[in-house]
């Protein structure tokens, strides 16, 4: 039986490696996707997810996350949750509730406390310094305040054929309090069906949710499209439609995997992702929008990786 994992951005690579180890040991897709995302949530240098994520306009770190089981269509999600170590774990727990499975704000945070999830101050000194620096830049240079919206989204396939999807994000940097993007929204930020495949999204949530692209990619795979063909068709046709009818299209990138562990990616920006399966070890790739509604994909170079590590850990002046 095929198995595999794919996730958005270079930041997910260590999590993908760990997920593949679990899947090779015949552990569940649910455990694999939760472990993968927790690895990203726990790392303080990733500015758009979990611990070290960047706060909203009032300096409060509000986080969103979701979990979906492809066998049962169970979904759990949280939005605007605060001071919880691993939002993805809260979302997975909520997926087992028939009612009240999507909690927001204070309700989500209270739920996590009552269920015994680990509490933690998720705003690091480094993230607070970045926030203060951005406030100063906005004031002095009359800049658009919004900057950065990279969600970790992941899909896993285990050896029993079960598939799961998960997302986690601190959302748009400098967002207004209470703002929610696409990440915890079914069909937009994620969707998975164990008889077909799954997809997750990252980018500007306000534009991603206009197209419900994760669901559309899964639907197209169900009609016989390969994951790559489904991604290309859904993403680029919607990019063109949104540009024509709305006047512009924000950044968005989507990943997909089917029941055979085959994968696909499409993006309208430069985008990195990590993927592996029973046929190939985890690797990081970089994707760009090509010509004729296709995606250009290449492995990252060592030089790119070194520059990335230096950039994310650079001192905040």
């Amino acid at each position: 039986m095929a198995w595999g994992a794919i996730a958005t951005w270079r930041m997910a690579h260590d999590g993908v490696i760990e997920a593949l180890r679990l899947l090779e040991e015949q552990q569940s897709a649910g455990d694999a996707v939760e472990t993968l995302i927790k690895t990203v949530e726990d790392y303080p240098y990733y500015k758009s997810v979990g611990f070290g994520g960047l706060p909203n306009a009032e300096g409060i770190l509000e986080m969103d996350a979701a979990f979906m089981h492809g066998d049962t269509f169970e979904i759990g999600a949280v939005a605007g949750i605060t001071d919880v170590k691993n939002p993805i774990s809260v979302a997975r727990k909520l997926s087992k509730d028939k009612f009240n499975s999507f909690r927001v704000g204070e309700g989500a945070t209270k739920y996590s406390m009552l269920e015994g999830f680990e509490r933690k101050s998720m705003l690091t000194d480094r993230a607070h310094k970045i926030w203060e620096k951005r406030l100063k830049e906005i004031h002095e240079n009359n800049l658009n305040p919004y900057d950065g919206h990279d969600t970790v989204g992941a899909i896993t396939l285990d050896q029993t054929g079960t598939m799961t999807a998960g997302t986690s994000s601190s959302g748009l940097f400098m967002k207004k309090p209470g703002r929610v993007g696409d990440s915890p929204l079914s069909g937009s930020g994620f969707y998975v069906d164990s008889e077909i495949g799954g997809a997750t999204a990252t980018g500007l949530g306000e534009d991603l949710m206009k197209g419900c692209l994760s669901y559309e990619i899964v639907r197209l795979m169900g009609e016989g499209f390969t994951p790559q063909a489904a991604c290309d068709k859904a993403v680029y046709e919607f990019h063109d439609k949104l540009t024509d009818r709305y006047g512009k299209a924000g950044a968005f990138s989507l990943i997909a995997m089917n029941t055979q562990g085959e994968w696909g990616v499409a993006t309208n920006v430069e985008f990195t992702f990590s993927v592996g399966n029973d046929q190939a070890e985890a690797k990081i790739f970089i994707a760009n929008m090509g010509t004729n509604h296709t995606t250009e994909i290449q492995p990252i170079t060592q030089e790119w990786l070194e520059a990335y590590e230096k950039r994310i850990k650079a001192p905040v002046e």
Side-chain angles (χ1 to χ4, degrees), residues 199-261:
T200 68
T202 178
L204 181 60
E206 283 79 359
D207 281 357
L208 278 163
M209 67 178 73
K210 294 180 174 75
C212 298
L213 296 179
S214 290
Y215 177 81
E216 178 65 7
I217 287 170
V218 174
R219 187 189 70 79
L220 289 168
M221 289 193 293
E223 291 188 352
F225 284 74
T226 66
Q228 187 58 55
C231 287
D232 285 344
K233 180 175 177 59
V235 170
Y236 298 128
E237 287 187 1
F238 185 69
H239 169 87
D240 291 350
K241 179 183 287 189
L242 189 59
T243 301
D244 180 56
R245 294 170 60 173
Y246 184 63
K248 58 183 177 180
F252 44 80
S253 307
L254 285 98
I255 58 172
M257 180 169 280
N258 68 11
T259 58
Q260 303 305 308

Side-chain angles (χ1 to χ4, degrees), residues 1-281:
M1 178 67 72
W3 46 270
I6 185 170
T8 57
W9 303 111
R10 181 269 173 263
M11 64 180 170
H13 184 59
D14 291 343
V16 170
I17 291 173
E18 182 62 14
L20 291 174
R21 183 188 68 79
L22 296 177
L23 293 168
E24 186 173 17
E25 294 175 353
Q26 301 185 39
Q27 297 197 42
S28 73
D31 288 347
V33 82
E34 182 181 1
T35 297
L36 190 166
I37 292 175
K38 285 172 66 175
T39 301
V40 184
E41 290 176 337
D42 291 344
Y43 193 63
Y45 288 102
Y46 298 142
K47 299 186 294 183
S48 58
V49 176
F51 187 57
L54 297 178
N56 66 18
E58 295 182 355
I60 299 170
L61 178 56
E62 296 177 314
M63 299 171 291
D64 306 332
F67 172 90
M68 183 172 184
H69 198 291
D71 290 358
T72 61
F73 301 122
E74 292 171 329
I75 292 172
V78 293
I81 197 169
T82 58
D83 296 329
V84 175
K85 183 174 184 288
N86 292 116
I88 184 61
S89 298
V90 182
R92 187 183 183 190
K93 172 72 172 177
L94 279 167
S95 72
K96 293 299 181 182
D97 292 352
K98 182 174 178 60
F99 303 103
N100 308 301
S101 59
F102 191 158
R103 305 284 185 95
V104 302
E106 185 179 352
T109 303
K110 282 185 176 180
Y111 171 86
S112 72
M113 295 171 62
L114 291 172
E115 293 295 326
F117 287 96
E118 183 176 348
R119 304 281 291 157
K120 183 175 183 177
S121 176
M122 300 295 279
L123 183 62
T124 63
D125 290 341
R126 178 183 177 84
H128 187 71
K129 287 179 181 178
I130 294 172
W131 178 78
E132 289 182 321
K133 180 180 178 182
R134 186 64 176 171
L135 279 180
K136 183 178 179 182
E137 292 171 345
I138 293 166
H139 177 72
E140 292 179 350
N141 302 305
N142 194 30
L143 298 177
N144 182 327
Y146 307 118
D147 181 31
H149 38 66
D150 297 342
T151 299
V152 58
I155 307 146
T156 53
L157 164 68
D158 68 27
Q159 294 192 46
T160 71
T162 292
M163 299 191 74
T164 60
T167 62
S168 185
S169 178
S170 55
L172 187 65
F173 182 28
M174 288 290 179
K175 64 188 178 183
K176 297 298 184 183
R179 177 265 188 188
V180 179
D182 69 294
S183 298
L185 303 184
S186 170
S188 185
F190 64 94
Y191 198 79
V192 64
D193 179 339
S194 295
E195 294 183 355
I196 300 172
T200 68
T202 178
L204 181 60
E206 283 79 359
D207 281 357
L208 278 163
M209 67 178 73
K210 294 180 174 75
C212 298
L213 296 179
S214 290
Y215 177 81
E216 178 65 7
I217 287 170
V218 174
R219 187 189 70 79
L220 289 168
M221 289 193 293
E223 291 188 352
F225 284 74
T226 66
Q228 187 58 55
C231 287
D232 285 344
K233 180 175 177 59
V235 170
Y236 298 128
E237 287 187 1
F238 185 69
H239 169 87
D240 291 350
K241 179 183 287 189
L242 189 59
T243 301
D244 180 56
R245 294 170 60 173
Y246 184 63
K248 58 183 177 180
F252 44 80
S253 307
L254 285 98
I255 58 172
M257 180 169 280
N258 68 11
T259 58
Q260 303 305 308
E262 299 167 334
W263 53 269
V265 172
T267 180
N268 63 359
V269 293
E270 185 175 275
F271 168 62
T272 57
F273 63 98
S274 177
V275 62
N277 55 30
D278 57 305
Q279 302 295 316
E281 64 182 11

